[in-house]
Amino acid sequence: MTGTYYKTKESVEEYIRLAKDANGEFLIEKLKQVLPSNSTLLEIGSGPGTDWKILNKSYDITGSDNSTEFLNHLISKNPKGKFLELDAITLKTDKKFDGIYSNKVLHHLNDNELIDTVKRQYEILNSNGIICHSFWKGEGSEVFKGLFVNYHNESTLRKAYLKYFDILSISDYNEFEDNDSLLLIANKK
Ligand SMILES: C[S@@+](CC[C@H](N)C(=O)[O-])C[C@H]1O[C@@H](n2cnc3c(N)ncnc32)[C@H](O)[C@@H]1O
């Protein structure tokens, strides 16, 4: 349920400028506690590629996005990198991974789309695969800059992931404000 914001050259350039100081280093440290280095890892919604660069130091990383503009940017900045054009909902790939990571991407999916991605993530993970995803914490949903934003709490995340994953942790963290974000880490059942 994304609008055009991540899809045009102008909006992608604006996002890259606005997000230049943001990165998921703290989240990636948490991931490293459960996913051994050199594992194969898929990043969903790599966007500007800031987290991709950090993940690339520890993992056999494949970046992905459903925005051609972001993919063009990722490939031009990282010509030796592996990238796939993937939508988070369908994840149409026959590759399998030891882990799947996303930082502030899956909140763009509505509740049914989240159920679909959880099932696909289960299918494209190797046995004992790990997922690590961040979300905005809160209630309900809204449209921001033309983009659908679905807020989550521990209970909505547990409900969405329970069928296919053993939840290792759901923890609060601060992005812009105290406890405005949630990090989910889980293990394929
Ligand atoms: C907030 S940005 C996060 C970018 C990156 N994770 C970071 O930390 O810099 C969201 C990214 O998710 C991508 N995205 C949004 N909806 C998506 C979907 N359904 N499938 C794949 N990518 C999606 C956007 O194109 C954008 O690159």
Side-chain angles (χ1 to χ4, degrees), residues 12-187:
V12 162
E13 281 170 2
E14 180 189 87
Y15 181 84
I16 291 170
R17 225 177 24 254
L18 293 175
K20 69 178 181 347
D21 296 325
N23 72 65
E25 195 134 32
F26 164 78
L27 315 180
I28 293 166
E29 283 307 312
K30 300 268 181 205
L31 172 65
K32 282 159 76 175
Q33 292 171 10
V34 286
L35 185 67
S37 54
N38 300 320
S39 299
T40 55
L41 180 68
L42 173 70
E43 182 184 19
I44 300 174
S46 301
T50 315
D51 288 7
W52 182 92
K53 273 208 174 85
I54 305 170
L55 293 163
N56 190 38
K57 292 181 195 158
S58 302
Y59 294 112
D60 177 1
I61 175 82
T62 300
S64 73
D65 212 286
N66 72 345
S67 154
T68 320
E69 284 299 333
F70 268 125
L71 277 172
N72 290 342
H73 170 84
L74 287 162
I75 294 164
S76 76
K77 293 281 173 202
N78 311 284
K80 291 190 177 152
K82 289 186 274 187
F83 297 101
L84 297 173
E85 183 165 357
L86 290 183
D87 192 287
I89 306 162
T90 50
L91 294 171
K92 282 189 188 152
T93 176
D94 50 15
K95 294 190 174 15
K96 287 208 159 199
F97 302 91
D98 302 321
I100 304 177
Y101 169 93
S102 74
N103 184 6
K104 297 288 169 62
V105 176
L106 300 180
H107 62 281
H108 291 306
L109 308 190
N110 67 29
D111 293 346
N112 289 330
E113 291 167 340
L114 187 63
I115 299 289
D116 291 343
T117 189
V118 170
K119 181 164 185 282
R120 274 306 287 150
Q121 289 179 38
Y122 173 85
E123 289 167 352
I124 65 167
L125 274 172
N126 293 322
S127 50
N128 293 320
I130 292 281
I131 53 170
C132 176
H133 299 299
S134 74
F135 297 86
W136 291 110
K137 186 178 171 187
E139 308 296 325
S141 61
E142 65 173 339
V143 174
F144 180 71
K145 288 200 177 201
L147 292 171
F148 176 76
V149 177
N150 204 4
Y151 293 94
H152 287 281
N153 56 46
E154 187 168 339
S155 140
T156 62
L157 289 181
R158 277 192 188 281
K159 201 169 142 205
Y161 281 87
L162 200 65
K163 186 167 171 193
Y164 294 102
F165 289 89
D166 289 322
I167 292 166
L168 300 176
S169 61
I170 299 178
S171 41
D172 295 352
Y173 70 96
N174 312 339
E175 181 99 46
F176 299 129
E177 290 169 21
D178 281 358
N179 299 329
D180 61 358
S181 300
L182 286 170
L183 179 67
L184 166 92
I185 297 183
N187 215 174

